[in-house]
Amino acid sequence: MSKTQNSKQSLAPSPLERAGERPNTLGELKITGYQSKSIKDELRDNLIQKIKNKETTFEGVHGYENTVIPELERAILSRHNINLLGLRGQAKTRLARLMLNLLDEFIPFVEGSEINDDPFNPISRYAKELINEKGDDTPISWLHRSERFAEKLATPDVTVADIIGDVDPIKAANLKLSYADDRVIHYGMIPRANRCIFVINELPDLQARIQVALFNILQEGDIQIRGFKLRLPLDIQFMFTANPEDYTNRGSIVTPLKDRIGSQILTHYPIDVETAKQITQQEAKLVENQKANVIVPDLARDLLEQIVFEARKSDYIDAKSGVSARLSITALENLMSTAERRALVSGDAKTTVRLSDFVGIIPAITGKVELVYEGEQEGAAVVAYNLIGEAVKSIFPKLFPKIEKLQKQTDESPYDDLVSWFFNEKDGFELLDDINDAEYKNLLDAIAPLTDLLNKYQPNTQKQDQYFVKEFILWSLVEFKLLSKKRFSEGLQFKDPYGSFISGI
């Protein structure tokens, strides 16, 4: 069938298929030669086809090509229920949602069924009675793959009635049935997700007694509701997500439930800056005007990602809590907005991001990290500001000659002329936050040794990026103690750290 993509056998197309229509009754469906298939087999078969065709199985997920995705593919081929275990911001929920792309485009179900009954393998009383009554005239409907996804965030208020079901007294009254009749049951989220992908996010946060209610569904295939034991062989692909921190802090996955989950796959953060940049660029929600009017130098993008890498290894930040990929995404949005606001204030139609604009990303950092005791003592804003400095310090030796910590005073350094320039500039050098681009460029161009360094060691720098790199050099020399930097309300001041002492000022 050209539109259903469900039948895998090589039968001659029926008149309905040739007409491009989907069957509307059970009899018409039989004519097509359609064969039922469990959701796990459906995912498996479609994955096999994608792999054979060299297609990307999980579009838009970067950095997992050789780690998480192969493990996920193996779990699907094994027809397992899956638990994605990893720190926050590691695309666990995104991976679960992308599983939809491995489903058939449409599947048939008995029209009016609450639990998407397969016309050839009905499991609910409603569907069985309807098929017995109408036979081949039983009406069927078609379920698109976009409707075959159910998701529940595990919160303390979740009940068994929410996810499994409960007796509905209103239904009993309307149908004039006793509570002993199974037709008075109101199905919960899981039975209604029959033949679908069902995701429970943050599984350890689900109360232990609720986790116990999943045992039979995962293993035996029956559900128990207030004394009713219904043999409902539900056909569901379960996906769970969990944070390893949760195993000791907020809750835990009970051992028998872990035993029933076929594959547990460990996720991770990007291992290199290039992958992290790709993710940030893809996920950042930027206005078209910002993209058109604010230029972001490549070095600025590298620096932004390096800040996140520095945060993940900082002694002031709780490593067990993790540093989400959302930090760099929101930081880029803040950085663009900081530059955009500055351009609006100064009257520039277009502008390029400056390193001093990175002060604007501090609110994006402070809300995304969990500080340890020492970090709390320092203060979130101070820790965030220091992360910018650490990132500058890490990238600088990749672009310019390394600054040795210990060297003789007689040894020559590529930075001697620049340091001497600041030594002679007794009042220091000020870069105000809101000056226009022309004035900003004139100020940096006035430091001749800065231009010499750039031309000597980074001669291929694009013209629009040159001033960012110049300011980057100044910040780097501060981090290596060759210059000092002071933040005041309107901007930054750079000075020789020893000039005032020697001159007696």
Side-chain angles (χ1 to χ4, degrees), residues 392 396 400-401 403 414-416 418-419 422 450 453 471-485 494-495 497:
V392 168
F396 182 73
F400 294 93
I403 298 175
Y415 310 104
D416 287 344
L418 182 56
V419 173
F422 278 91
L450 203 54
L453 275 171
E471 191 180 352
F472 174 78
I473 294 171
L474 296 182
W475 281 61
S476 300
L477 265 57
V478 170
E479 293 302 317
F480 287 99
K481 313 299 183 187
L482 296 183
L483 296 178
S484 67
K485 173 166 60 68
F494 296 87
K495 294 182 71 173

Side-chain angles (χ1 to χ4, degrees), residues 12 19 85 96 145 211 214 267 269 291 302 337 344 369 373 393 472 500:
L85 179 65
R145 61 181 163 218
Q211 293 184 36
L214 300 175
T267 58
Y269 289 122
K291 293 179 183 179
D302 290 344
S337 297
L344 292 170
V369 295
Y373 176 76
K393 194 173 181 180
F472 174 78
S500 298

Side-chain angles (χ1 to χ4, degrees), residues 286 290 294-301 332 335-336 351-353 464-465:
L286 302 173
Q290 286 180 326
V294 179
I295 298 168
V296 185
D298 288 339
L299 179 56
R301 294 185 187 276
L332 177 60
L335 182 64
M336 297 282 280
T351 190
T352 301
V353 165
Q464 62 187 22
D465 297 354

Side-chain angles (χ1 to χ4, degrees), residues 132-246:
N132 285 337
E133 177 190 342
K134 296 192 174 183
D136 285 352
D137 291 330
T138 302
I140 63 170
S141 295
W142 293 84
L143 193 66
H144 190 259
R145 61 181 163 218
S146 61
E147 300 175 272
R148 297 176 64 193
F149 184 87
E151 187 175 357
K152 179 61 181 171
L153 176 63
T155 53
D157 61 332
V158 174
T159 65
V160 173
D162 292 334
I163 62 172
I164 308 296
D166 204 350
V167 172
D168 186 347
I170 297 175
K171 184 184 287 188
N174 288 340
L175 298 177
K176 296 182 171 57
L177 298 171
S178 74
Y179 287 173
D181 194 310
D182 61 9
R183 284 174 291 180
V184 303
I185 291 175
H186 174 79
Y187 292 115
M189 291 185 70
I190 289 178
R192 289 175 182 275
N194 184 40
R195 305 173 75 199
C196 299
I197 297 169
F198 190 84
V199 181
I200 297 181
N201 283 314
E202 307 300 341
L203 181 61
D205 285 347
L206 200 64
Q207 294 181 54
R209 64 185 180 84
I210 312 298
Q211 293 184 36
V212 170
L214 300 175
F215 289 179
N216 276 26
I217 295 175
L218 287 174
Q219 196 69 39
E220 287 79 21
D222 62 73
I223 62 172
Q224 299 177 19
I225 300 174
R226 291 194 180 275
F228 289 103
K229 183 174 180 180
L230 303 177
R231 183 63 184 170
L232 280 181
L234 296 171
D235 180 23
I236 298 175
Q237 171 66 54
F238 279 98
M239 297 283 292
F240 304 100
T241 72
N243 188 315
E245 181 193 12
D246 296 341

